[in-house]
Amino acid sequence: MNFELTEEQQMLQTMARDFAQKEVLPKAPEIDQNHRHPAELVARMAELGLLGVAVPEAYGGSGMDNVCYVLAMEEISRACASTGVIMSVNNSLVCDPILRFGTEAQKKEFLTPLASGKKLGCFALSEPEAGSDAAAQRTTAVRDGDAWVLQGTKNWITNGPVADVVVLFAMNDREAGHRGISAFIIPMDTPGVRCGEPDDKLGIRGSKSSQIFLDDARLPADALLGEVGGGFKVAMSTLDGGRIGIAAQALGIARACLEDALDYSLQRKTFNKPIVKHQAISFKLADMATEVDAARLLTLRAAWLKDNGRPYSKAAAMAKLYASDVANRAAREAIQIFGGNGYVTEYPVERHFRDAKITEIYEGTSEIQRLVISGHLVKEHT
Ligand code: CAA
């Protein structure tokens, strides 16, 4: 066993940390306050190769591994969780399925501009009546000659209002249940495709999400991603990778809580000494640091398994379950350490508290992660 990062992994980590601290962190409060999509930071991430980290260079990516992706996601999310999820969706939920299931023509047309950051993607699985129960799709895809005609509504689509391309799921055969779901790659300017108003959210306010309405959207036959009826497997296997990205986002938020609380507790004095000298505070910091490390190890392990062609569905669910729990606990404790100052927007921890919550919800709630993990446990023991 070797816990050392390779030279390439260290280089990427240093580059991402430098960018995050110098360019992302100073803007994070303003992005949050103004609910602003950080277009200029997305453009910089494109220049730095962060929008297609694990995509081969031949398709516009950086040709690195998923460990690199996790390291970069942690750094960006430590500075700004909104910017982190924009990066995560493009990498994990859009580039990854096109790389794994796309035809050569689809890779050239869509993957190359997405991985190089010339275009931005979104992933549309959820619907008003299909969140945790992802197979309960109501959006329909009907074959009409050579075309597919799509009708329906997608919900909470991260990057939706700012995306150029969507990987979208629809039911082509209701009788067949989850085997009647197909995946499509759709340019967002296709007639009949329209976004709703951006969602007004508790946290990650710089990340734009909305409904997507499909109103007789006509797609060419080659818009299909993978096999007819193979969409549910595309979605589930994509989410396995996505959960590694969200675990890394949660890890970044948890680290922000720890670092901000540690800084504060060294400066803030009560009863004639810095509050870090009070055991009530220092023990909280010790627990936060231990949990942040454990979350990082779980997340890196899941990425390593993916990089090495091993099964990683259970490890990804464990990493997301634990890291999102850690982020929320760390945010709560950070506010407690900051006291009254933790409750006002002048300090960063109330933002971390609001940003942390979504990591327990999207890309599968914590309850769904437990379902996935327990499902694997049963399979492994029978
Ligand atoms: N990889 C490949 N195939 C998989 C799979 C995986 N990880 N998991 C399941 N499948 C396959 C099964 O093998 C099965 O195939 P067969 O029919 O050939 O046997 C099929 O899928 C159905 O499996 P299940 O019976 O387990 O499916 P289910 O309907 O019970 O659902 C679930 C399982 C885990 C609950 C699933 O619905 C799920 O993950 N729900 C959560 C959805 C989710 O994460 N949504 C996130 C939306 S995207 C988002 O949040 C993005 C964002 O904003 C940032």
mmCIF file of all heavy atoms in Angstrom, residues 85 88-89 93 123-126 130-136 156-158 178-179 209 232-240 243 246 313 358 361-365 368-369 371-372 376 379, ligand 1:
data_model
loop_
_atom_site.group_PDB
_atom_site.id
_atom_site.type_symbol
_atom_site.label_atom_id
_atom_site.label_comp_id
_atom_site.label_asym_id
_atom_site.label_seq_id
_atom_site.Cartn_x
_atom_site.Cartn_y
_atom_site.Cartn_z
ATOM 1 N N VAL A 85 -19.468 22.400 -7.702
ATOM 2 C CA VAL A 85 -20.485 21.528 -8.307
ATOM 3 C C VAL A 85 -20.612 21.774 -9.812
ATOM 4 O O VAL A 85 -20.918 20.851 -10.578
ATOM 5 C CB VAL A 85 -21.854 21.613 -7.594
ATOM 6 C CG1 VAL A 85 -22.596 22.896 -7.898
ATOM 7 C CG2 VAL A 85 -22.704 20.406 -7.979
ATOM 8 N N SER A 88 -18.014 19.577 -11.079
ATOM 9 C CA SER A 88 -18.332 18.159 -10.878
ATOM 10 C C SER A 88 -19.344 17.649 -11.900
ATOM 11 O O SER A 88 -19.192 16.566 -12.465
ATOM 12 C CB SER A 88 -18.860 17.969 -9.447
ATOM 13 O OG SER A 88 -19.267 16.658 -9.258
ATOM 14 N N VAL A 89 -20.399 18.440 -12.134
ATOM 15 C CA VAL A 89 -21.431 17.999 -13.080
ATOM 16 C C VAL A 89 -20.824 17.822 -14.473
ATOM 17 O O VAL A 89 -21.073 16.818 -15.151
ATOM 18 C CB VAL A 89 -22.616 19.003 -13.095
ATOM 19 C CG1 VAL A 89 -23.520 18.760 -14.299
ATOM 20 C CG2 VAL A 89 -23.415 18.898 -11.806
ATOM 21 N N LEU A 93 -20.915 13.901 -14.666
ATOM 22 C CA LEU A 93 -22.255 13.523 -15.125
ATOM 23 C C LEU A 93 -22.449 13.733 -16.618
ATOM 24 O O LEU A 93 -23.437 13.272 -17.182
ATOM 25 C CB LEU A 93 -23.330 14.310 -14.351
ATOM 26 C CG LEU A 93 -23.375 14.113 -12.833
ATOM 27 C CD1 LEU A 93 -24.606 14.785 -12.241
ATOM 28 C CD2 LEU A 93 -23.367 12.625 -12.441
ATOM 29 N N PHE A 123 -27.065 17.368 -16.640
ATOM 30 C CA PHE A 123 -27.513 15.973 -16.588
ATOM 31 C C PHE A 123 -28.949 15.972 -16.086
ATOM 32 O O PHE A 123 -29.212 16.470 -14.983
ATOM 33 C CB PHE A 123 -26.594 15.242 -15.611
ATOM 34 C CG PHE A 123 -26.901 13.800 -15.307
ATOM 35 C CD1 PHE A 123 -26.380 12.779 -16.093
ATOM 36 C CD2 PHE A 123 -27.653 13.463 -14.188
ATOM 37 C CE1 PHE A 123 -26.616 11.438 -15.767
ATOM 38 C CE2 PHE A 123 -27.890 12.128 -13.863
ATOM 39 C CZ PHE A 123 -27.365 11.113 -14.659
ATOM 40 N N ALA A 124 -29.878 15.458 -16.891
ATOM 41 C CA ALA A 124 -31.290 15.578 -16.530
ATOM 42 C C ALA A 124 -31.929 14.213 -16.347
ATOM 43 O O ALA A 124 -32.399 13.587 -17.308
ATOM 44 C CB ALA A 124 -32.020 16.388 -17.603
ATOM 45 N N LEU A 125 -31.922 13.768 -15.089
ATOM 46 C CA LEU A 125 -32.571 12.508 -14.728
ATOM 47 C C LEU A 125 -33.823 12.805 -13.897
ATOM 48 O O LEU A 125 -34.908 12.301 -14.184
ATOM 49 C CB LEU A 125 -31.589 11.631 -13.928
ATOM 50 C CG LEU A 125 -32.126 10.313 -13.384
ATOM 51 C CD1 LEU A 125 -32.456 9.344 -14.521
ATOM 52 C CD2 LEU A 125 -31.102 9.650 -12.433
ATOM 53 N N SER A 126 -33.664 13.660 -12.857
ATOM 54 C CA SER A 126 -34.761 13.906 -11.917
ATOM 55 C C SER A 126 -35.952 14.571 -12.587
ATOM 56 O O SER A 126 -35.804 15.332 -13.534
ATOM 57 C CB SER A 126 -34.288 14.806 -10.777
ATOM 58 O OG SER A 126 -33.221 14.209 -10.116
ATOM 59 N N ALA A 130 -39.965 11.975 -9.932
ATOM 60 C CA ALA A 130 -38.906 10.949 -10.001
ATOM 61 C C ALA A 130 -37.598 11.534 -9.480
ATOM 62 O O ALA A 130 -36.785 12.049 -10.247
ATOM 63 C CB ALA A 130 -38.739 10.432 -11.434
ATOM 64 N N GLY A 131 -37.430 11.498 -8.155
ATOM 65 C CA GLY A 131 -36.195 11.958 -7.532
ATOM 66 C C GLY A 131 -35.406 10.743 -7.087
ATOM 67 O O GLY A 131 -34.652 10.154 -7.863
ATOM 68 N N SER A 132 -35.639 10.294 -5.844
ATOM 69 C CA SER A 132 -34.968 9.077 -5.358
ATOM 70 C C SER A 132 -35.372 7.860 -6.188
ATOM 71 O O SER A 132 -34.563 6.981 -6.464
ATOM 72 C CB SER A 132 -35.336 8.822 -3.889
ATOM 73 O OG SER A 132 -34.697 9.772 -3.065
ATOM 74 N N ASP A 133 -36.660 7.823 -6.571
ATOM 75 C CA ASP A 133 -37.150 6.707 -7.400
ATOM 76 C C ASP A 133 -36.913 7.072 -8.864
ATOM 77 O O ASP A 133 -37.839 7.417 -9.604
ATOM 78 C CB ASP A 133 -38.636 6.485 -7.109
ATOM 79 C CG ASP A 133 -39.174 5.256 -7.818
ATOM 80 O OD1 ASP A 133 -38.388 4.555 -8.499
ATOM 81 O OD2 ASP A 133 -40.386 4.989 -7.705
ATOM 82 N N ALA A 134 -35.646 6.967 -9.260
ATOM 83 C CA ALA A 134 -35.238 7.491 -10.565
ATOM 84 C C ALA A 134 -35.884 6.754 -11.742
ATOM 85 O O ALA A 134 -35.989 7.299 -12.842
ATOM 86 C CB ALA A 134 -33.717 7.427 -10.687
ATOM 87 N N ALA A 135 -36.330 5.520 -11.515
ATOM 88 C CA ALA A 135 -36.925 4.758 -12.625
ATOM 89 C C ALA A 135 -38.354 5.208 -12.938
ATOM 90 O O ALA A 135 -38.906 4.830 -13.967
ATOM 91 C CB ALA A 135 -36.907 3.262 -12.295
ATOM 92 N N ALA A 136 -38.926 6.046 -12.057
ATOM 93 C CA ALA A 136 -40.332 6.451 -12.251
ATOM 94 C C ALA A 136 -40.440 7.614 -13.244
ATOM 95 O O ALA A 136 -41.165 8.588 -13.018
ATOM 96 C CB ALA A 136 -40.943 6.842 -10.906
ATOM 97 N N TRP A 156 -34.737 20.324 -11.015
ATOM 98 C CA TRP A 156 -33.508 20.573 -10.238
ATOM 99 C C TRP A 156 -32.256 20.287 -11.073
ATOM 100 O O TRP A 156 -31.333 19.606 -10.590
ATOM 101 C CB TRP A 156 -33.467 19.690 -8.975
ATOM 102 C CG TRP A 156 -34.702 19.734 -8.149
ATOM 103 C CD1 TRP A 156 -35.225 20.820 -7.521
ATOM 104 C CD2 TRP A 156 -35.580 18.630 -7.835
ATOM 105 N NE1 TRP A 156 -36.364 20.471 -6.839
ATOM 106 C CE2 TRP A 156 -36.603 19.132 -7.019
ATOM 107 C CE3 TRP A 156 -35.579 17.285 -8.167
ATOM 108 C CZ2 TRP A 156 -37.629 18.326 -6.528
ATOM 109 C CZ3 TRP A 156 -36.600 16.483 -7.681
ATOM 110 C CH2 TRP A 156 -37.605 17.004 -6.878
ATOM 111 N N ILE A 157 -32.227 20.740 -12.298
ATOM 112 C CA ILE A 157 -31.112 20.379 -13.165
ATOM 113 C C ILE A 157 -29.948 21.365 -12.981
ATOM 114 O O ILE A 157 -29.971 22.498 -13.491
ATOM 115 C CB ILE A 157 -31.558 20.291 -14.654
ATOM 116 C CG1 ILE A 157 -32.767 19.337 -14.774
ATOM 117 C CG2 ILE A 157 -30.384 19.831 -15.515
ATOM 118 C CD1 ILE A 157 -32.586 17.958 -14.152
ATOM 119 N N THR A 158 -28.946 20.901 -12.253
ATOM 120 C CA THR A 158 -27.768 21.721 -11.973
ATOM 121 C C THR A 158 -27.072 22.080 -13.282
ATOM 122 O O THR A 158 -26.879 21.202 -14.141
ATOM 123 C CB THR A 158 -26.798 20.936 -11.058
ATOM 124 O OG1 THR A 158 -27.515 20.550 -9.898
ATOM 125 C CG2 THR A 158 -25.605 21.788 -10.657
ATOM 126 N N HIS A 178 -37.764 0.096 -15.848
ATOM 127 C CA HIS A 178 -36.463 0.762 -15.988
ATOM 128 C C HIS A 178 -35.739 0.341 -17.272
ATOM 129 O O HIS A 178 -34.857 1.052 -17.754
ATOM 130 C CB HIS A 178 -35.581 0.535 -14.746
ATOM 131 C CG HIS A 178 -35.142 -0.874 -14.561
ATOM 132 N ND1 HIS A 178 -35.772 -1.746 -13.702
ATOM 133 C CD2 HIS A 178 -34.139 -1.579 -15.134
ATOM 134 C CE1 HIS A 178 -35.156 -2.913 -13.757
ATOM 135 N NE2 HIS A 178 -34.171 -2.838 -14.612
ATOM 136 N N ARG A 179 -36.141 -0.812 -17.841
ATOM 137 C CA ARG A 179 -35.511 -1.233 -19.111
ATOM 138 C C ARG A 179 -36.123 -0.506 -20.312
ATOM 139 O O ARG A 179 -35.737 -0.756 -21.459
ATOM 140 C CB ARG A 179 -35.625 -2.743 -19.286
ATOM 141 C CG ARG A 179 -34.779 -3.462 -18.254
ATOM 142 C CD ARG A 179 -34.767 -4.954 -18.431
ATOM 143 N NE ARG A 179 -34.065 -5.563 -17.305
ATOM 144 C CZ ARG A 179 -34.167 -6.826 -16.954
ATOM 145 N NH1 ARG A 179 -34.941 -7.645 -17.629
ATOM 146 N NH2 ARG A 179 -33.501 -7.287 -15.924
ATOM 147 N N SER A 209 -29.613 26.175 -11.121
ATOM 148 C CA SER A 209 -30.364 24.961 -11.457
ATOM 149 C C SER A 209 -31.784 25.380 -11.792
ATOM 150 O O SER A 209 -32.248 26.440 -11.354
ATOM 151 C CB SER A 209 -30.353 23.980 -10.281
ATOM 152 O OG SER A 209 -31.036 24.532 -9.184
ATOM 153 N N PHE A 232 -31.213 3.533 -18.085
ATOM 154 C CA PHE A 232 -31.155 3.458 -16.619
ATOM 155 C C PHE A 232 -29.763 3.026 -16.172
ATOM 156 O O PHE A 232 -29.225 3.542 -15.190
ATOM 157 C CB PHE A 232 -32.228 2.498 -16.082
ATOM 158 C CG PHE A 232 -32.476 2.678 -14.599
ATOM 159 C CD1 PHE A 232 -33.056 3.837 -14.104
ATOM 160 C CD2 PHE A 232 -32.125 1.689 -13.694
ATOM 161 C CE1 PHE A 232 -33.274 4.017 -12.739
ATOM 162 C CE2 PHE A 232 -32.332 1.852 -12.325
ATOM 163 C CZ PHE A 232 -32.914 3.026 -11.851
ATOM 164 N N LYS A 233 -29.175 2.113 -16.933
ATOM 165 C CA LYS A 233 -27.805 1.684 -16.573
ATOM 166 C C LYS A 233 -26.801 2.807 -16.826
ATOM 167 O O LYS A 233 -25.836 2.961 -16.073
ATOM 168 C CB LYS A 233 -27.419 0.419 -17.331
ATOM 169 C CG LYS A 233 -28.198 -0.753 -16.778
ATOM 170 C CD LYS A 233 -27.662 -2.100 -17.085
ATOM 171 C CE LYS A 233 -28.567 -3.089 -16.353
ATOM 172 N NZ LYS A 233 -28.318 -4.460 -16.601
ATOM 173 N N VAL A 234 -27.026 3.579 -17.901
ATOM 174 C CA VAL A 234 -26.160 4.746 -18.140
ATOM 175 C C VAL A 234 -26.258 5.672 -16.926
ATOM 176 O O VAL A 234 -25.250 6.117 -16.371
ATOM 177 C CB VAL A 234 -26.583 5.512 -19.430
ATOM 178 C CG1 VAL A 234 -25.785 6.800 -19.573
ATOM 179 C CG2 VAL A 234 -26.420 4.640 -20.668
ATOM 180 N N ALA A 235 -27.501 5.926 -16.490
ATOM 181 C CA ALA A 235 -27.708 6.862 -15.366
ATOM 182 C C ALA A 235 -27.070 6.337 -14.088
ATOM 183 O O ALA A 235 -26.345 7.057 -13.396
ATOM 184 C CB ALA A 235 -29.206 7.091 -15.156
ATOM 185 N N MET A 236 -27.331 5.076 -13.756
ATOM 186 C CA MET A 236 -26.844 4.532 -12.473
ATOM 187 C C MET A 236 -25.320 4.461 -12.447
ATOM 188 O O MET A 236 -24.688 4.811 -11.450
ATOM 189 C CB MET A 236 -27.427 3.126 -12.232
ATOM 190 C CG MET A 236 -28.909 3.111 -11.922
ATOM 191 S SD MET A 236 -29.326 4.030 -10.424
ATOM 192 C CE MET A 236 -30.175 5.418 -11.087
ATOM 193 N N SER A 237 -24.733 4.005 -13.547
ATOM 194 C CA SER A 237 -23.272 3.884 -13.544
ATOM 195 C C SER A 237 -22.624 5.273 -13.564
ATOM 196 O O SER A 237 -21.548 5.474 -13.001
ATOM 197 C CB SER A 237 -22.793 3.027 -14.718
ATOM 198 O OG SER A 237 -23.189 3.621 -15.934
ATOM 199 N N THR A 238 -23.299 6.246 -14.186
ATOM 200 C CA THR A 238 -22.783 7.621 -14.175
ATOM 201 C C THR A 238 -22.821 8.180 -12.756
ATOM 202 O O THR A 238 -21.878 8.833 -12.300
ATOM 203 C CB THR A 238 -23.618 8.502 -15.131
ATOM 204 O OG1 THR A 238 -23.471 7.977 -16.451
ATOM 205 C CG2 THR A 238 -23.170 9.950 -15.091
ATOM 206 N N LEU A 239 -23.923 7.902 -12.053
ATOM 207 C CA LEU A 239 -24.046 8.422 -10.678
ATOM 208 C C LEU A 239 -23.013 7.796 -9.744
ATOM 209 O O LEU A 239 -22.580 8.433 -8.782
ATOM 210 C CB LEU A 239 -25.466 8.195 -10.158
ATOM 211 C CG LEU A 239 -26.479 9.198 -10.745
ATOM 212 C CD1 LEU A 239 -27.912 8.751 -10.476
ATOM 213 C CD2 LEU A 239 -26.252 10.600 -10.177
ATOM 214 N N ASP A 240 -22.601 6.568 -10.027
ATOM 215 C CA ASP A 240 -21.520 5.974 -9.206
ATOM 216 C C ASP A 240 -20.291 6.883 -9.238
ATOM 217 O O ASP A 240 -19.667 7.143 -8.204
ATOM 218 C CB ASP A 240 -21.129 4.584 -9.740
ATOM 219 C CG ASP A 240 -22.156 3.515 -9.387
ATOM 220 O OD1 ASP A 240 -22.938 3.731 -8.428
ATOM 221 O OD2 ASP A 240 -22.168 2.467 -10.060
ATOM 222 N N ARG A 243 -20.970 10.406 -7.568
ATOM 223 C CA ARG A 243 -20.953 10.412 -6.096
ATOM 224 C C ARG A 243 -19.537 10.600 -5.553
ATOM 225 O O ARG A 243 -19.353 11.152 -4.469
ATOM 226 C CB ARG A 243 -21.618 9.134 -5.571
ATOM 227 C CG ARG A 243 -23.120 9.182 -5.800
ATOM 228 C CD ARG A 243 -23.866 7.881 -5.676
ATOM 229 N NE ARG A 243 -25.264 8.106 -6.070
ATOM 230 C CZ ARG A 243 -26.132 7.163 -6.375
ATOM 231 N NH1 ARG A 243 -25.759 5.884 -6.329
ATOM 232 N NH2 ARG A 243 -27.369 7.467 -6.719
ATOM 233 N N ILE A 246 -19.140 14.375 -5.662
ATOM 234 C CA ILE A 246 -19.866 15.071 -4.587
ATOM 235 C C ILE A 246 -19.210 14.774 -3.235
ATOM 236 O O ILE A 246 -19.175 15.647 -2.354
ATOM 237 C CB ILE A 246 -21.370 14.700 -4.595
ATOM 238 C CG1 ILE A 246 -22.011 15.109 -5.931
ATOM 239 C CG2 ILE A 246 -22.106 15.366 -3.425
ATOM 240 C CD1 ILE A 246 -21.839 16.568 -6.329
ATOM 241 N N SER A 313 -18.927 1.074 -7.016
ATOM 242 C CA SER A 313 -20.255 1.590 -6.696
ATOM 243 C C SER A 313 -20.457 1.713 -5.170
ATOM 244 O O SER A 313 -20.862 2.771 -4.661
ATOM 245 C CB SER A 313 -21.291 0.631 -7.299
ATOM 246 O OG SER A 313 -22.572 1.005 -6.936
ATOM 247 N N ILE A 358 -26.795 20.394 0.786
ATOM 248 C CA ILE A 358 -27.155 19.758 -0.489
ATOM 249 C C ILE A 358 -26.365 18.470 -0.738
ATOM 250 O O ILE A 358 -26.839 17.566 -1.436
ATOM 251 C CB ILE A 358 -26.985 20.746 -1.673
ATOM 252 C CG1 ILE A 358 -27.609 20.189 -2.963
ATOM 253 C CG2 ILE A 358 -25.519 21.091 -1.919
ATOM 254 C CD1 ILE A 358 -29.089 19.980 -2.915
ATOM 255 N N ILE A 361 -28.180 15.461 -0.243
ATOM 256 C CA ILE A 361 -29.424 15.312 -1.018
ATOM 257 C C ILE A 361 -29.149 14.936 -2.478
ATOM 258 O O ILE A 361 -29.650 13.913 -2.965
ATOM 259 C CB ILE A 361 -30.260 16.613 -0.928
ATOM 260 C CG1 ILE A 361 -30.679 16.855 0.534
ATOM 261 C CG2 ILE A 361 -31.486 16.532 -1.837
ATOM 262 C CD1 ILE A 361 -31.341 18.194 0.787
ATOM 263 N N TYR A 362 -28.352 15.785 -3.188
ATOM 264 C CA TYR A 362 -28.274 15.484 -4.635
ATOM 265 C C TYR A 362 -27.335 14.298 -4.935
ATOM 266 O O TYR A 362 -26.576 13.866 -4.082
ATOM 267 C CB TYR A 362 -27.970 16.713 -5.487
ATOM 268 C CG TYR A 362 -26.743 17.554 -5.285
ATOM 269 C CD1 TYR A 362 -25.626 17.122 -4.601
ATOM 270 C CD2 TYR A 362 -26.709 18.837 -5.844
ATOM 271 C CE1 TYR A 362 -24.512 17.939 -4.475
ATOM 272 C CE2 TYR A 362 -25.599 19.663 -5.720
ATOM 273 C CZ TYR A 362 -24.499 19.197 -5.029
ATOM 274 O OH TYR A 362 -23.408 19.997 -4.910
ATOM 275 N N GLU A 363 -27.500 13.791 -6.155
ATOM 276 C CA GLU A 363 -26.808 12.566 -6.614
ATOM 277 C C GLU A 363 -27.068 11.388 -5.671
ATOM 278 O O GLU A 363 -26.211 10.531 -5.450
ATOM 279 C CB GLU A 363 -25.329 12.829 -6.853
ATOM 280 C CG GLU A 363 -25.194 13.943 -7.897
ATOM 281 C CD GLU A 363 -23.910 13.971 -8.659
ATOM 282 O OE1 GLU A 363 -23.292 12.913 -8.797
ATOM 283 O OE2 GLU A 363 -23.561 15.058 -9.154
ATOM 284 N N GLY A 364 -28.284 11.376 -5.143
ATOM 285 C CA GLY A 364 -28.715 10.316 -4.229
ATOM 286 C C GLY A 364 -28.625 10.801 -2.792
ATOM 287 O O GLY A 364 -27.546 11.138 -2.321
ATOM 288 N N THR A 365 -29.771 10.836 -2.112
ATOM 289 C CA THR A 365 -29.792 11.250 -0.696
ATOM 290 C C THR A 365 -28.965 10.266 0.134
ATOM 291 O O THR A 365 -28.625 9.165 -0.334
ATOM 292 C CB THR A 365 -31.233 11.223 -0.164
ATOM 293 O OG1 THR A 365 -31.717 9.869 -0.291
ATOM 294 C CG2 THR A 365 -32.154 12.168 -0.935
ATOM 295 N N ILE A 368 -30.563 6.982 0.141
ATOM 296 C CA ILE A 368 -30.299 6.185 -1.078
ATOM 297 C C ILE A 368 -28.888 5.580 -1.023
ATOM 298 O O ILE A 368 -28.680 4.424 -1.423
ATOM 299 C CB ILE A 368 -30.503 7.049 -2.352
ATOM 300 C CG1 ILE A 368 -31.983 7.376 -2.550
ATOM 301 C CG2 ILE A 368 -29.913 6.360 -3.590
ATOM 302 C CD1 ILE A 368 -32.892 6.186 -2.859
ATOM 303 N N GLN A 369 -27.918 6.336 -0.483
ATOM 304 C CA GLN A 369 -26.547 5.762 -0.383
ATOM 305 C C GLN A 369 -26.585 4.518 0.510
ATOM 306 O O GLN A 369 -25.939 3.509 0.223
ATOM 307 C CB GLN A 369 -25.533 6.762 0.180
ATOM 308 C CG GLN A 369 -25.456 8.101 -0.547
ATOM 309 C CD GLN A 369 -25.362 7.982 -2.054
ATOM 310 O OE1 GLN A 369 -24.667 7.109 -2.578
ATOM 311 N NE2 GLN A 369 -26.072 8.850 -2.760
ATOM 312 N N LEU A 371 -29.102 2.567 0.941
ATOM 313 C CA LEU A 371 -29.769 1.520 0.154
ATOM 314 C C LEU A 371 -28.762 0.838 -0.781
ATOM 315 O O LEU A 371 -28.722 -0.388 -0.905
ATOM 316 C CB LEU A 371 -30.873 2.189 -0.669
ATOM 317 C CG LEU A 371 -32.126 1.418 -0.989
ATOM 318 C CD1 LEU A 371 -32.924 1.181 0.282
ATOM 319 C CD2 LEU A 371 -32.979 2.217 -1.977
ATOM 320 N N VAL A 372 -27.946 1.662 -1.438
ATOM 321 C CA VAL A 372 -26.939 1.127 -2.373
ATOM 322 C C VAL A 372 -25.914 0.281 -1.602
ATOM 323 O O VAL A 372 -25.603 -0.857 -1.991
ATOM 324 C CB VAL A 372 -26.235 2.276 -3.139
ATOM 325 C CG1 VAL A 372 -25.041 1.757 -3.936
ATOM 326 C CG2 VAL A 372 -27.222 3.001 -4.067
ATOM 327 N N HIS A 376 -25.288 -3.869 -1.791
ATOM 328 C CA HIS A 376 -24.009 -4.535 -2.089
ATOM 329 C C HIS A 376 -23.654 -5.534 -0.988
ATOM 330 O O HIS A 376 -23.145 -6.629 -1.269
ATOM 331 C CB HIS A 376 -22.885 -3.504 -2.256
ATOM 332 C CG HIS A 376 -22.910 -2.832 -3.597
ATOM 333 N ND1 HIS A 376 -22.467 -3.456 -4.738
ATOM 334 C CD2 HIS A 376 -23.334 -1.610 -3.981
ATOM 335 C CE1 HIS A 376 -22.619 -2.639 -5.770
ATOM 336 N NE2 HIS A 376 -23.149 -1.509 -5.340
ATOM 337 N N LYS A 379 -25.630 -8.656 -1.579
ATOM 338 C CA LYS A 379 -25.121 -9.367 -2.771
ATOM 339 C C LYS A 379 -23.805 -10.089 -2.459
ATOM 340 O O LYS A 379 -23.584 -11.222 -2.865
ATOM 341 C CB LYS A 379 -24.881 -8.371 -3.908
ATOM 342 C CG LYS A 379 -25.810 -8.596 -5.101
ATOM 343 C CD LYS A 379 -25.420 -7.728 -6.284
ATOM 344 C CE LYS A 379 -26.330 -6.519 -6.388
ATOM 345 N NZ LYS A 379 -25.807 -5.450 -7.236
HETATM 346 N N1 CAA B 1 -24.551 0.495 -12.416
HETATM 347 C C1 CAA B 1 -25.118 -0.166 -13.464
HETATM 348 N N2 CAA B 1 -26.352 -0.703 -13.397
HETATM 349 C C2 CAA B 1 -27.025 -0.570 -12.239
HETATM 350 C C3 CAA B 1 -26.494 0.102 -11.127
HETATM 351 C C4 CAA B 1 -25.207 0.653 -11.254
HETATM 352 N N3 CAA B 1 -24.630 1.299 -10.236
HETATM 353 N N4 CAA B 1 -27.392 0.095 -10.131
HETATM 354 C C5 CAA B 1 -28.468 -0.581 -10.586
HETATM 355 N N5 CAA B 1 -28.233 -0.978 -11.869
HETATM 356 C C6 CAA B 1 -29.109 -1.800 -12.708
HETATM 357 C C7 CAA B 1 -29.455 -3.115 -12.024
HETATM 358 O O1 CAA B 1 -28.470 -4.085 -12.299
HETATM 359 C C8 CAA B 1 -30.785 -3.457 -12.653
HETATM 360 O O2 CAA B 1 -30.550 -4.008 -13.935
HETATM 361 P P1 CAA B 1 -31.352 -5.303 -14.483
HETATM 362 O O3 CAA B 1 -32.749 -4.864 -14.699
HETATM 363 O O4 CAA B 1 -30.657 -5.659 -15.749
HETATM 364 O O5 CAA B 1 -31.244 -6.351 -13.431
HETATM 365 C C9 CAA B 1 -31.423 -2.087 -12.851
HETATM 366 O O6 CAA B 1 -30.356 -1.121 -12.853
HETATM 367 C C10 CAA B 1 -32.418 -1.730 -11.784
HETATM 368 O O7 CAA B 1 -31.777 -1.818 -10.531
HETATM 369 P P2 CAA B 1 -32.585 -1.627 -9.187
HETATM 370 O O8 CAA B 1 -33.720 -2.612 -9.159
HETATM 371 O O9 CAA B 1 -31.612 -1.640 -8.068
HETATM 372 O O10 CAA B 1 -33.210 -0.156 -9.380
HETATM 373 P P3 CAA B 1 -34.226 0.657 -8.505
HETATM 374 O O11 CAA B 1 -35.289 1.196 -9.376
HETATM 375 O O12 CAA B 1 -34.605 -0.104 -7.288
HETATM 376 O O13 CAA B 1 -33.341 1.949 -8.074
HETATM 377 C C11 CAA B 1 -31.789 3.201 -6.761
HETATM 378 C C12 CAA B 1 -32.161 1.862 -7.422
HETATM 379 C C13 CAA B 1 -30.400 2.975 -6.197
HETATM 380 C C14 CAA B 1 -32.722 3.592 -5.640
HETATM 381 C C15 CAA B 1 -31.773 4.296 -7.845
HETATM 382 O O14 CAA B 1 -33.075 4.651 -8.263
HETATM 383 C C16 CAA B 1 -31.069 5.566 -7.406
HETATM 384 O O15 CAA B 1 -29.835 5.650 -7.446
HETATM 385 N N6 CAA B 1 -31.825 6.601 -6.977
HETATM 386 C C17 CAA B 1 -31.256 7.892 -6.683
HETATM 387 C C18 CAA B 1 -31.254 8.741 -7.910
HETATM 388 C C19 CAA B 1 -30.208 9.798 -7.879
HETATM 389 O O16 CAA B 1 -29.105 9.630 -7.391
HETATM 390 N N7 CAA B 1 -30.550 10.942 -8.487
HETATM 391 C C20 CAA B 1 -29.604 11.996 -8.620
HETATM 392 C C21 CAA B 1 -30.035 12.900 -9.719
HETATM 393 S S1 CAA B 1 -28.710 13.700 -10.531
HETATM 394 C C22 CAA B 1 -28.192 14.955 -9.543
HETATM 395 O O17 CAA B 1 -28.538 15.043 -8.410
HETATM 396 C C23 CAA B 1 -27.225 15.851 -10.187
HETATM 397 C C24 CAA B 1 -27.029 17.169 -9.534
HETATM 398 O O18 CAA B 1 -27.931 17.916 -9.283
HETATM 399 C C25 CAA B 1 -25.687 17.597 -9.227
#
